[in-house]
Amino acid sequence: MTGAASGLARAVALKLAALGADLCIVDLNAAALDATANDARSLGCAVEPVATDLARPENCILAVDRAIARFGRLDALCNIAGVLSFSPFTQVTAAQLHTTLAVNFSAPFFLSQAAIPHLLATNGAIVNVASAAAFIGEAYLAAYAASKAALVSLTKSLAMEYAKTSLRVSAVAPGGMETGMGAEIGGFKGDLDVGLIQRYSGLRGRVSVDDVAEMIALLASEQSGAFHGGCVHMDAGISAG
Ligand SMILES: NC(=O)c1ccc[n+]([C@@H]2O[C@H](COP(=O)([O-])OP(=O)(O)OC[C@H]3O[C@@H](n4cnc5c(N)ncnc54)[C@H](O)[C@@H]3O)[C@@H](O)[C@H]2O)c1
């Protein structure tokens, strides 16, 4: 599982640990990742923390290798790590665009390449965390939205390519949640049209991190059954109209 130092992935890690799963958790933030690892261990599971930068393809392969070296098998890959730069379109830098695509799309791509041979051996699952931004235009988030739309597309293509196997591939598309990333939206200090942000802020407030974590845990489990190639919208209606 990627991104487990904070926010949504940390919640998923603790949920899966409580259910008895052993975990390989991956994040850039080593200190916060260790805190998640210790909290998960206190629930009784074995944890392999891998502190690494998933923007680099070789680190994605290394992360899967570490999981296999420790546990000898892989039942689910949860691609949850993500980055977001909130900025007017003309001010997005090449570095911001590159990092956004590398973490939000390329890392799940390379992690899936490395993980699929192992997931085929266990009738396993891939769960990709997209966003409502994959389905609607979102002002000041052009790079982020494009990266998440690409991730949904990857989900569907893998579902087709592995349709004749037992592998399950799915995605979840949350709306705004109360996490570090959620706080970043609107944090830009320049001149913005707030009405454009309200357009995708929704009518029901923030989405519960715990609800989304519950869905990811379900999709990662054998109970997800026939759910293959789809994306669960958990945005309190934002993408509906
Ligand atoms: N928070 C929201 O409002 C919201 C809405 C829709 C979708 N999402 C998606 O949910 C997922 C989780 O986000 P969150 O809200 O928990 O945010 P978060 O910032 O709390 O967590 C993201 C995690 O990804 C890690 N990460 C970032 N770059 C990395 C890299 N190069 N290598 C390894 N790890 C890296 C961070 O260290 C962090 O722990 C993301 O994919 C995000 O796009 C979030």
Side-chain angles (χ1 to χ4, degrees):
M1 172 188 317
T2 70
S6 67
L8 177 61
R10 177 181 154 81
V12 176
L14 298 181
K15 201 165 279 293
L16 291 176
L19 291 169
D22 293 330
L23 301 172
C24 177
I25 55 175
V26 188
D27 204 286
L28 192 58
N29 183 338
L33 187 68
D34 277 342
T36 301
N38 288 334
D39 290 345
R41 285 186 192 110
S42 72
L43 295 169
C45 73
V47 184
E48 179 74 8
V50 181
T52 194
D53 182 0
L54 291 169
R56 300 175 69 92
E58 63 273 25
N59 293 343
C60 298
I61 295 162
L62 173 145
V64 173
D65 286 349
R66 285 274 296 274
I68 297 302
R70 174 71 186 271
F71 299 114
R73 61 181 288 147
L74 191 62
D75 296 284
L77 165 66
C78 298
N79 288 310
I80 310 180
V83 290
L84 171 150
S85 295
F86 190 82
S87 166
F89 181 68
T90 56
Q91 296 175 32
V92 177
T93 65
Q96 283 172 329
L97 175 62
H98 176 80
T99 301
T100 303
L101 294 174
V103 178
N104 295 2
F105 172 69
S106 301
F109 188 105
F110 293 120
L111 284 157
S112 298
Q113 277 188 332
I116 281 174
H118 304 290
L119 294 171
L120 290 173
T122 58
N123 302 331
I126 296 174
V127 185
N128 293 320
V129 173
S131 166
F135 298 95
I136 59 170
E138 293 196 351
Y140 313 121
L141 288 173
Y144 178 78
S147 71
K148 293 299 188 177
L151 186 56
V152 172
S153 175
L154 176 66
T155 304
K156 294 199 279 190
S157 292
L158 290 183
M160 284 298 95
E161 187 160 336
Y162 290 92
K164 293 184 177 176
T165 76
S166 58
L167 179 70
R168 302 178 312 285
V169 190
S170 61
V172 178
M177 297 177 289
E178 208 69 64
T179 64
M181 179 180 290
E184 197 168 323
I185 297 179
F188 184 78
K189 296 289 178 272
D191 199 12
L192 296 176
D193 182 338
V194 175
L196 296 176
I197 303 164
Q198 279 166 350
R199 159 71 185 88
Y200 58 80
S201 296
L203 299 170
R204 294 190 173 186
R206 297 287 178 133
V207 172
S208 154
V209 172
D210 201 54
D211 285 357
V212 180
E214 191 82 43
M215 176 57 70
I216 294 169
L218 173 69
L219 292 173
S221 77
E222 291 164 355
Q223 289 164 323
S224 60
F227 200 84
H228 182 56
C231 180
V232 182
H233 294 252
M234 298 190 75
D235 61 13
I238 290 172
S239 60

